[in-house]
Amino acid sequence: MSEAHAKGRRPASRGRTGKPQPSPAPAAAPSPPPAQLPDIRPGQSIELLKELHILTRDGKLNQDSRRKLKQVYHLYNFIEPLLEEVMNARGDLTLADHGAGKSYLGFILYDLFLKAREGGQTGGHIYGIETRDELVAKSRELAARLGFVRMSFLNLSVEDSIESPELPEHIDIVTALHACNTATDDAIRFALHKRARFIVLVPCCQAEVAAALRRHKNESFGKTPLSEIWRHPIHTREFGSQLTNVLRCLLLESHGYQLTVTELVGWEHSMKNELIIARATDQPRGNAQERLAQILAELNLEELRDRFAY
């Protein structure tokens, strides 16, 4: 028996010259499929994550995509308990994402929460509402390709969506993620009309209140010393943005919602990161409308009463 056999080794092969030939190098272990990456939850659609640019084209995470994924999970951690609460109470749920854009949020919620419930009589339905036809068409195509059967995408304005027969009379959860300027207010009006149990808002680019403050600045100087708060242009912009969300919160409280206001992600990621979660309680805050009216009068913003006080 050769020494190689005696030691349990495979003898080297010999070529035509009879000289020993080196054994082939062992094959490299295959890289794990993207679904097994430690940052990604089991069962997630890799194709969806690539489409949303959370994974690179070859299914990997780089520094930028890892940051995006972290933000996605952070937002999902806020919304998942609301989905669970509605599902446990009704055995079903409806969610409308207003100003959906590319329906980034709706796809993630479907993939992480509703996908596992496909095939039954219930399981929830997500509606993406958007006015840009090309984005609606693209979202429909992606949902069909992924087999996300409980998603609908509607090319509707806010006014049309309130009365549209394509939407149910009642919506459990309304979301508006980075809906710019007055689009967030439009989503609030829609949610109140649909008697939403939860409203989740991440406002963005609030310009209307700042513009009204700017128009009446000289008049306000003679009316209230508080006008010093927005005398400088940069303060007008920042104060107007914060005031917009304060007025929205008072409006929601006047309609019987309890609010949680926090930040969505750290300031190093985005300055537009205020997260407002409203829960229906049917117990309006007693002085909310009065406070709202006083603020509008004191800050010379009476022209915005129809938007914030109804």
Side-chain angles (χ1 to χ4, degrees):
M1 180 181 294
S2 71
E3 182 180 356
H5 281 99
K7 292 185 178 181
R9 297 199 305 268
R10 182 178 178 180
S13 61
R14 294 179 180 270
R16 291 183 179 179
T17 62
K19 296 181 179 179
Q21 301 294 316
S23 300
S31 57
Q36 294 180 13
L37 289 171
D39 302 87
I40 298 176
R41 300 187 182 191
Q44 280 199 263
S45 168
I46 301 305
E47 185 177 355
L48 173 63
L49 295 178
K50 290 181 182 179
E51 191 74 26
L52 299 179
H53 305 294
I54 292 174
L55 287 179
T56 61
R57 289 185 177 181
D58 56 357
K60 296 180 180 179
L61 284 165
N62 56 31
Q63 184 175 0
D64 183 60
S65 59
R66 185 171 278 107
R67 177 182 58 82
K68 290 179 182 178
L69 185 65
K70 182 178 179 181
Q71 292 182 36
V72 165
Y73 287 157
H74 190 61
L75 177 59
Y76 180 71
N77 287 339
F78 282 108
I79 299 179
E80 182 186 23
L82 314 183
L83 301 173
E84 289 282 7
E85 184 172 330
V86 173
M87 189 66 77
N88 291 338
R90 296 208 310 110
D92 202 356
L93 69 84
T94 51
L95 183 146
D97 185 25
H98 239 290
K102 296 179 181 178
S103 294
Y104 180 102
L105 177 60
F107 277 115
I108 289 293
L109 294 178
Y110 193 101
D111 191 40
L112 291 177
F113 189 83
L114 295 187
K115 185 170 67 175
R117 294 168 169 82
E118 288 178 352
Q121 294 301 311
T122 60
H125 199 104
I126 291 178
Y127 299 87
I129 302 172
E130 171 59 49
T131 58
R132 287 167 287 183
D133 190 55
E134 68 278 9
L135 297 183
V136 173
K138 186 174 181 179
S139 293
R140 287 173 178 168
E141 184 277 328
L142 179 58
R145 178 153 42 96
L146 296 174
F148 287 7
V149 295
R150 297 185 185 277
M151 295 191 78
S152 299
F153 303 94
L154 307 174
N155 184 355
L156 295 170
S157 67
V158 175
E159 292 77 14
D160 290 340
S161 68
I162 288 175
E163 303 295 342
S164 172
E166 296 181 272
L167 286 156
E169 184 177 345
H170 171 70
I171 297 288
D172 294 303
I173 303 174
V174 173
T175 60
L177 179 62
H178 294 150
C180 284
N181 201 16
T182 60
T184 297
D185 303 303
D186 297 337
I188 291 173
R189 189 179 294 273
F190 170 87
L192 294 178
H193 186 87
K194 293 294 185 178
R195 306 184 310 282
R197 185 168 182 169
F198 293 105
I199 307 172
V200 180
L201 308 170
V202 180
C204 183
C205 307
Q206 301 97 312
E208 187 182 34
V209 171
L213 289 170
R214 202 173 293 115
R215 278 195 301 273
H216 302 296
K217 185 176 291 188
N218 292 336
E219 181 185 346
S220 297
F221 283 155
K223 181 176 181 179
T224 173
L226 292 177
S227 62
E228 294 294 334
I229 296 173
W230 66 91
R231 180 162 63 92
H232 299 287
I234 188 172
H235 294 160
T236 305
R237 183 188 67 201
E238 296 303 320
F239 177 64
S241 179
Q242 182 172 3
L243 179 58
T244 301
N245 289 340
V246 170
L247 295 172
R248 288 165 175 162
C249 289
L250 285 169
L251 170 63
L252 289 167
E253 288 178 323
S254 74
H255 283 269
Y257 284 84
Q258 183 183 57
L259 300 182
T260 299
V261 182
T262 186
E263 67 177 24
L264 176 58
V265 294
W267 293 108
E268 70 274 14
H269 296 302
S270 173
M271 294 295 288
K272 307 295 184 182
N273 74 339
E274 185 169 335
L275 174 65
I276 301 171
I277 300 177
R279 171 191 292 268
T281 65
D282 296 325
Q283 295 179 345
R285 174 180 161 184
N287 65 346
Q289 283 200 359
E290 179 184 354
R291 286 295 177 92
L292 201 161
Q294 288 173 338
I295 290 172
L296 293 175
E298 182 73 14
L299 302 185
N300 209 20
L301 294 172
E302 294 283 0
E303 66 185 79
L304 300 179
R305 181 176 293 275
D306 289 345
R307 178 167 293 280
F308 295 107
Y310 56 87

